[in-house]
Each structure stands twice: as C-alpha cells, then as structure tokens.
Amino acid sequence: MAQKKQTSHIDSSTFVKPPVVAVMGHVDHGKTTLLDYIRKSRVALGEFGSITQHIGAYQVPVGSKKITFIDTPGHEAFANLRSRGASVADIALLVIDAKESVKPQTVESIKIIQKAKIPMIVVLTKMDIVGANPDKVKKDLLQQNVIVEEHGGSIANVAVSAKTGEGIDDLLGAILLVAELKNITADPNAPLSAVVIEAKKDPGRGNVATIIVQQGTLRVRDEIRVEQETFPVRALVDEYRKGIDQALPGRPVEILGFTSLPTVGSLVTSKDSTSVQAPSEMSVKPVLDKNSDAILKLFLKADASGSLEAILHGLPKEVSVSQTGIGEITESDIAQAKTMDLVVIGFNVKVPSRVTKLAKDEAVRIRTYTLIYKLFEEIEEVVTLLAQGPQREIIGQAKILKTFETSDGEVAGCQVMEGRIAKGDKVIITRGNKEIAEGLRIKSLREQKEEVTKVKKGDMCGLLLTAPVDFKPGDMIQSYTLYEF
Ligand code: GDP
C-alpha cells in the first residue's frame, strides 16, 4: 500500500543548522587524530562501535547543538573544498602542529580556504608535546596574512591536544560561536538542495551516496533528482547505519536507490524543482573541452570518478582536459595522447613499464601523482611558466672573442664560459641585455682545426651558424632547450 508522503512543516524559527566543518592542514599535523578524538569522545560507545567502515561525514552532539564533520582529512580535504565547493563546508579548521608551525601544505590550505570564502579557525594541536610553541605559530601565520584574534585580527584560534583532550571542548565551542557569528543558517522548509560528497557501490546495498543537505528537508520516499536520474528515496541511513525518516539542513546521510552512481559534487533536488540552481562551484568542466586558449592539454587518468571530478574542478582555466579515464595508463592512451598532443597525467594509477617505454619512444610525456595538492601545485607552476611564452633553459654560454671569414661563412671564435656547446644546439645571440638573433642552430663546431660534436666550459672553439648573423666580439652565444612539462 502506497504511503502518504510526509510534508510536515518544520518550525524554522527554532531550527539551528549544524555547521558543516572541513579539516585542512599539512600532512602529519594531526588532522586524523583530532577527528578521531572528537568522534570517540562525543559519540556514545555503543553507537561508535557500529561505525564499521569509512563514512564521509558524521555529526557530533555538543550540548543541545550539533556539528557536522566532513571526515576526509589529508590530501582529500583539499579536493573536497575545491570540488565540493564553499557551499558544502561552512567552516574550515586549519590544523597546525604547534611545534612544527607553518608548512607548505598549511600555506596551500590557507589559499584554498580563502578562495572558498569560508571562515577558518586555526587549531594549534599537539600541545602536549615538549617544544610546542603556539606563539611562534601565530607569528608565522602573520606572514601568510592570517591574523588571529590576539594579534588584532578576526580569526579564532584554539590550542588543543588530541592525546590529552586539552582544548577540544573549547574548539567545539569556537566552531559553534563562529557558526553563530557568521550567521550560518538554512531553511528546512525551502526547496531541497543537497550535495553528493561520496558515492560508492556497496555489496549488498547497491549504489549508495553520502549527501549533505544544505536547504530544505529530505524525507524517505521523496522523489528526487540527481543529475539526469529521478527516483524515490528508498532509504535514508545515518552514520550509525540506522534508518532515519528525514534529514534536515547540515545533516549528512546516505541515500539508497540509485540506478547509477552519481557524480561527487552533484546536486540533489526534489524531482519537480526548477528553482534550485546548481552552485557555480559545482559545475563540472566539460570533458572534451575544446578550450582553444588552453596552453596545456591533458589526458587525465585517475583511480576513481571522485578523484577525477576533484581534479577537473581544481585545474586552472588555462588547462584543457581532452580525454579522461579511470584505471591504469595503457598503451592506447599513449597512442591517443601522441595523436592529440596531450600530456598524460595519472593520479593514483599505475603505469606498467611497457607503457613507460612506449611513452619514451613516442616522446609522450607522463606525469603521475599521489597527492592532489601536488598535482595542482605543479600544474599551476607549469601554467604560469608557459603563459610567459616559450621557456628557454640555457645549457651553455660562449663568448665571441673574434670573428673570421671562411668559404663557408663567418665563423665566431669563442670561449665556452658556462655549461657546454654542442653541434646542432639551438642558440640565441645576445649583446649586453639585448637578444640580437634567435632561431638558429650550430651547423659546425671546431676545436683547433678538428670538427667536434661538443666543447665544454673553458674550451676555445670556432662555430658556424645555420644563417648569417651580424655578430661581433663581446657578443654571447647561448645554447638552449625549450622547457617542457
Ligand atoms: P594527519 O596526517 O594530519 O592526519 O596527521 P595524524 O593525525 O595522522 O597525526 C600524525 C602523527 O601525530 C601521529 O603519529 C599522531 O599520533 C600524532 N599526533 C596527532 N595529534 C597529536 C597530539 O595532539 N599529541 C601528540 N603527542 N601526538 C599527536
């Protein structure tokens, strides 16, 4: 018998949205341990025991309120905030080891949090360790333009230890305070909008997605729309594997009933909703992107659709992704990359040695990564370099001492000042700071009267270029290769 759909109205005036919190920071600075401590100390033992496997997000009670933690510490957290957008996390915790202070990934996290435009709380952790120096960390943060309250700024900071529990209650209090001050609210009676933060095939349960409700209320048997699919919600399951009837804003919940796995970051709305727009941060960059201004074209292979999404969302706009795929890099990927002139990027995937060899033979470049922020970091650096035009890497410099005419043309008599000069090298010629010729190669290279292939620093040589140049003593000849990613 079909049950009547629930449409009970929720009193918005008394509803408090649990803030959704993401944890960021340098590797080994204590993100996982902090989340574990909070979960273990806040969740009743019996319930905790029923969390048998990884869950993407969970709620912890704090007094009469609740906080939702997105439980993907480490590098995945970077991907989270980038791909899942500011609209999923309301607050970011910037976790810093109080002894180690600010490290590269701390700086990267700050940038990501600022880009996401969400409030942050600085968490100085490992306070139980001898040598913990929170004052130094706060000073170091000034250089990153992160000014904590004691230094006259607006950023809250809390000192904690996930070993002794010191400061953890203060931290939870600070999260709730920031949520209140920043007026983090939501309307449980608004049209439904929720975001998929994790999707997996679960043996026995089928396709399962963890979502976080942002606005409105999701109820069992609601007809929902995710991407192209519409279907009635078969069951809502909380982090303790208990079935629940409804999920209010700020609540993470698993949905069962998908016929295909939804994309991470996709929006969940009610079936007949037309008013809810996908948050702009969520839009997936089209694959087969024909961005003609792209200065770097990639073939992207990743271990899972979630990581693929995260990477697609986080790449700079100067990059276009022409091909994507899941799984190890194959010979046919290399063939395709060669035809389309793509750089192959692998994330958490294997490259069999025969594929590496083929790539080398075909001069196809492969770069692999296991940390998403490293991938972003390197690609951003490369894009910045490439945007400045072709990058020359100088491999040798020779100074022209005298010039003399021969039947083959004018020869430059030089001394090698740096590196080495070889026959066939691409060269530019400079006079002072000015470049007077480019696009040339070394046609012939002689040491004494002997034709040689290479001369090194300190050696004297005579060289002939592929085209005549009006050079004179004092000019420099520079050999270079073009920088390639
Ligand atoms: P993550 O990479 O940021 O998730 O770091 P982890 O949580 O894995 O912590 C890295 C190491 O620091 C582990 O060996 C933890 O046991 C240790 N650790 C984390 N928090 C604390 C703390 O508050 N006190 C002490 N003494 N050790 C900690």
Side-chain angles (χ1 to χ4, degrees):
M1 188 182 83
Q3 263 177 301
K4 196 170 166 278
K5 199 178 155 199
Q6 291 170 279
T7 49
S8 52
H9 190 82
I10 291 154
D11 185 354
S12 306
S13 64
T14 58
F15 173 74
V16 180
K17 183 196 176 193
V20 177
V21 177
V23 178
M24 315 274 284
H26 196 74
V27 65
D28 279 347
H29 274 204
K31 300 175 290 296
T32 314
T33 314
L34 177 68
L35 283 170
D36 282 353
Y37 186 93
I38 292 171
R39 193 173 52 222
K40 283 180 191 151
S41 61
R42 286 281 150 179
V43 174
L45 252 186
E47 288 189 324
F48 180 72
S50 67
I51 303 180
T52 49
Q53 57 181 36
H54 172 77
I55 40 166
Y58 51 83
Q59 280 191 330
V60 300
V62 182
S64 60
K65 296 182 176 164
K66 288 188 178 114
I67 300 173
T68 299
F69 286 94
I70 299 181
D71 196 354
T72 51
H75 69 270
E76 283 173 60
F78 288 86
N80 262 332
L81 273 183
R82 284 197 172 193
S83 67
R84 298 167 193 178
S87 43
V88 185
D90 298 310
I91 296 171
L93 302 186
L94 180 67
V95 174
I96 309 176
D97 183 323
K99 187 179 172 195
E100 295 287 316
S101 195
V102 174
K103 293 279 172 201
Q105 291 160 39
T106 318
V107 176
E108 178 73 11
S109 303
I110 294 168
K111 283 192 204 140
I112 294 167
I113 297 166
Q114 286 170 342
K115 209 167 154 189
K117 297 194 175 68
I118 57 172
M120 80 167 95
I121 297 174
V122 171
V123 184
L124 304 160
T125 190
K126 307 199 195 181
M127 285 296 289
D128 59 296
I129 288 183
V130 181
N133 189 349
D135 290 334
K136 178 176 184 300
V137 182
K138 288 176 215 166
K139 274 203 199 106
D140 290 348
L141 281 171
L142 286 173
Q143 284 170 15
Q144 306 302 325
N145 252 330
V146 173
I147 308 165
V148 298
E149 283 162 349
E150 286 136 86
H151 284 279
S154 60
I155 297 171
N157 71 94
V158 188
V160 305
S161 162
K163 283 272 145 77
T164 67
E166 170 199 342
I168 301 285
D169 287 347
D170 296 341
L171 172 60
L172 299 174
I175 294 171
L176 291 175
L177 188 65
V178 169
E180 206 178 311
L181 290 175
K182 299 285 172 179
N183 205 16
I184 292 165
T185 53
D187 180 1
N189 299 307
L192 174 72
S193 105
V195 172
V196 175
I197 63 159
E198 206 168 62
K200 60 188 174 210
K201 266 197 187 2
D202 190 322
R205 297 198 299 162
N207 292 331
V208 181
T210 304
I211 60 140
I212 292 185
V213 177
Q214 296 175 289
Q215 294 287 345
T217 301
L218 176 64
R219 298 180 176 88
V220 175
R221 283 178 297 277
D222 275 357
E223 293 272 339
I224 58 165
R225 176 190 302 278
V226 185
E227 296 177 312
Q228 306 306 327
E229 200 176 338
T230 62
F231 61 94
V233 174
R234 213 172 70 210
L236 290 174
V237 180
D238 73 7
E239 54 269 55
Y240 312 113
R241 285 286 166 94
K242 277 198 213 124
I244 55 174
D245 295 334
Q246 61 177 27
L248 296 170
R251 180 143 232 340
V253 69
E254 286 184 328
I255 304 182
L256 276 62
F258 289 89
T259 52
S260 61
L261 269 189
T263 319
V264 168
S266 55
L267 195 70
V268 181
T269 59
S270 78
K271 187 185 162 194
D272 19 68
S273 151
T274 48
S275 58
V276 184
Q277 293 297 315
S280 60
E281 293 270 331
M282 298 289 145
S283 69
V284 181
K285 211 180 215 184
V287 174
L288 290 172
D289 183 345
K290 291 282 188 294
N291 176 6
S292 54
D293 298 334
I295 53 179
L296 185 63
K297 293 196 298 175
L298 305 179
F299 189 142
L300 191 59
K301 292 288 289 254
D303 55 339
S305 64
S307 4
L308 205 57
E309 300 289 320
I311 297 166
L312 286 171
H313 281 290
L315 286 171
K317 62 179 187 321
E318 297 87 348
V319 172
S320 81
V321 177
S322 307
Q323 291 287 316
T324 61
I326 307 281
E328 69 176 32
I329 297 170
T330 64
E331 282 151 313
S332 91
D333 294 343
I334 301 298
Q336 199 155 13
K338 186 180 165 68
T339 354
M340 297 174 71
D341 195 18
L342 309 174
V343 176
V344 182
I345 301 288
F347 180 73
N348 274 339
V349 294
K350 290 210 191 91
V351 192
S353 54
R354 58 170 199 287
V355 174
T356 310
K357 187 178 174 303
L358 177 71
K360 212 170 160 197
D361 293 346
E362 299 290 340
V364 169
R365 284 156 288 155
I366 303 182
R367 294 283 179 280
T368 56
Y369 302 87
T370 52
L371 296 176
I372 199 159
Y373 73 89
K374 271 275 163 221
L375 182 156
F376 287 139
E377 214 170 77
E378 259 192 57
I379 290 188
E380 266 158 32
E381 270 170 27
V382 168
V383 163
T384 313
L385 263 177
L386 295 178
Q388 295 160 12
Q391 295 294 307
R392 296 187 188 119
E393 209 171 298
I394 303 295
I395 49 180
Q397 274 201 75
K399 188 175 188 175
I400 302 180
L401 302 177
K402 57 182 179 194
T403 64
F404 41 93
E405 284 297 330
T406 68
S407 54
D408 296 326
E410 192 167 23
V411 170
C414 305
Q415 180 170 26
V416 183
M417 312 303 286
E418 290 295 335
R420 98 292 177 280
I421 300 283
K423 193 166 157 176
D425 276 356
K426 286 193 245 210
V427 295
I428 52 168
I429 300 179
T430 57
R431 181 169 300 161
N433 291 327
K434 260 181 59 195
E435 193 176 300
I436 60 166
E438 58 156 358
L440 306 156
R441 281 179 187 273
I442 297 174
K443 193 160 102 185
S444 142
L445 186 62
R446 288 188 178 193
E447 217 172 351
Q448 311 290 6
K449 294 259 141 54
E450 292 273 304
E451 185 76 28
V452 292
T453 51
K454 208 180 268 181
V455 284
K456 53 180 199 313
K457 186 172 171 178
D459 292 349
M460 309 293 280
C461 62
L463 55 83
L464 192 65
L465 301 173
T466 44
V469 179
D470 186 19
F471 49 61
K472 60 180 194 192
D475 292 349
M476 300 292 286
I477 297 187
Q478 298 180 315
S479 288
Y480 67 89
T481 55
L482 277 180
Y483 169 83
E484 282 186 316
F485 176 47

